[in-house]
Amino acid sequence: MIPRRTMLAGMLASLAFLPISAHADAPLRVVATTGMIADAARQIGGDLVEVKGLMGPGVDPHAYRQTRTDIVAMTRADLVLWHGLYLEAQMEGFFHDLARKRNVVAVAEALPRDKLRGHDSYADKFDPHVWMNPVLWIEVVRAVQAALTETRPEAALKFEANAEVYISQIRAVSRYAADRLQRVPESARVLLTAHDAFGYFGAEYGFEVLGIQGISTESEAGLNRIGMLVDLLVERRITAVFVESSVSDRSIRAVIEGAAAKGHALKVGGELFSDAMGPDGTYEGTYVGMIDHNVTVIAGALGANVPPRGMIGKLSAGY
Ligand SMILES: [Zn+2]
């Protein structure tokens, strides 16, 4: 179906016998892998883009493979945005092939190497979870803006204006994060999650971060690691651990049971959005809402005073 606005533009253009696809007002067709990149493209592109996100809520990017529908969408797109840094590990080869034929940009690869954290399993790779530090993510947002601008240079000013608004919202959520997280008692600043997605978050806001699985989700945690983490949590008197929307909670349950066997009560502090955002069409389904949710849940569960519905009262589930 052709959107009404485009149809109108097409009708006007037809006076000059231009096909709709060649008309400069037709929205750019953008395909993005993760929800966080799709959100940036939507916010910056506004009504000049139609964005299809491949990985919806609850989808694990480390394990995701392109479907037939995804491939069709990508071969028809004006611009394909992926993360890079080995996040979409199962799609690397596909994107390298596609880049020979289509306009394809790995937006997180724009980050300078000295701002990246190392990978626990591969000496030559980096931790890809850069969206967990909003300040760092702004540089990736700029890379999305640059890719859109390169694809449609005549819209540069519009993209710039939209990016400014979006980035100011990201700066605001980062300030909120710093403010609320520093209210967590220093001894409780330990964040245990199912996999190691929060390294950049911990480095920015002063938390020790422990993932049961490593940086990617491909390997299961061994009993030794679970036992070691249980001992550490008991010793540090940590009372809450966190599940993730895109990773099985089995290993978290094993840690809680292990702690209980030692007489230490651990609770699930809440569900965090690590590699995928919340439901489509909700505040938590936006990048700013996702970070607001994570910060509010983490700070609240670990002992800080937090507003029940987050930074601007928009979180759907009160803490
Ligand atoms: Zn991850």
Side-chain angles (χ1 to χ4, degrees), residues 47-64:
D47 56 6
L48 300 181
V49 299
E50 258 166 29
V51 180
K52 177 182 168 63
L54 299 187
M55 302 172 189
V59 173
D60 175 0
H62 303 284
Y64 190 85

Side-chain angles (χ1 to χ4, degrees), residues 54-305:
L54 299 187
M55 302 172 189
V59 173
D60 175 0
H62 303 284
Y64 190 85
R65 279 178 194 278
Q66 66 278 4
T67 66
R68 197 179 287 263
T69 323
D70 294 346
I71 295 169
V72 170
M74 285 189 270
T75 52
R76 286 181 185 158
D78 299 304
L79 173 64
V80 176
L81 300 172
W82 63 302
H83 186 84
L85 300 179
Y86 206 58
L87 177 71
E88 304 97 332
Q90 311 303 320
M91 296 172 77
E92 290 258 329
F94 173 82
F95 281 122
H96 288 303
D97 285 346
L98 190 68
R100 277 188 235 132
K101 293 170 258 169
R102 311 295 304 174
N103 185 13
V104 175
V105 181
V107 286
E109 299 279 353
L111 289 168
R113 291 300 182 252
D114 64 355
K115 293 191 175 174
L116 298 176
R117 298 168 61 81
H119 197 292
D120 56 358
S121 324
Y122 307 100
D124 60 336
K125 298 195 193 313
F126 299 95
D127 178 351
H129 302 93
V130 291
W131 58 90
M132 286 297 176
N133 176 353
V135 177
L136 197 55
W137 187 244
I138 287 171
E139 296 186 42
V140 178
V141 168
R142 286 294 186 196
V144 172
Q145 180 192 351
L148 288 170
T149 304
E150 200 159 294
T151 312
R152 183 153 291 175
E154 61 274 26
L157 289 177
K158 179 98 183 270
F159 293 150
E160 171 64 19
N162 290 346
E164 287 304 326
V165 172
Y166 187 48
I167 287 169
S168 70
Q169 292 165 356
I170 298 176
R171 289 212 177 95
V173 82
S174 184
R175 282 195 300 272
Y176 170 74
D179 172 38
R180 292 294 154 174
L181 293 166
Q182 56 115 17
R183 298 177 195 223
V184 173
E186 233 166 290
S187 61
R189 291 182 196 167
V190 175
L191 179 60
L192 183 123
T193 59
H195 91 298
D196 226 337
F198 289 82
Y200 292 95
F201 180 95
E204 179 69 14
Y205 301 114
F207 274 62
E208 187 177 341
V209 171
L210 306 165
I212 303 177
Q213 285 169 277
I215 280 174
S216 95
T217 55
E218 64 208 3
S219 57
E220 288 263 339
L223 286 177
N224 283 349
R225 173 133 184 97
I226 303 255
M228 189 273 283
L229 290 168
V230 166
D231 289 345
L232 194 144
L233 293 172
V234 172
E235 187 192 309
R236 304 276 289 272
R237 299 169 193 270
I238 301 301
T239 56
V241 294
F242 300 89
V243 297
E244 298 172 40
S245 67
S246 55
V247 185
S248 157
D249 65 358
R250 196 168 37 197
S251 59
I252 287 287
R253 302 279 163 205
V255 167
I256 291 174
E257 281 162 28
K262 297 197 163 200
H264 179 73
L266 259 184
K267 65 177 183 202
V268 173
E271 182 183 69
L272 303 180
F273 299 118
S274 53
D275 293 2
M277 306 193 306
D280 291 337
T282 67
Y283 176 57
E284 290 84 347
T286 66
Y287 175 72
V288 169
M290 161 194 197
I291 300 295
D292 185 0
H293 168 91
N294 287 350
V295 166
T296 305
V297 167
I298 292 167
L302 295 177
N305 171 32

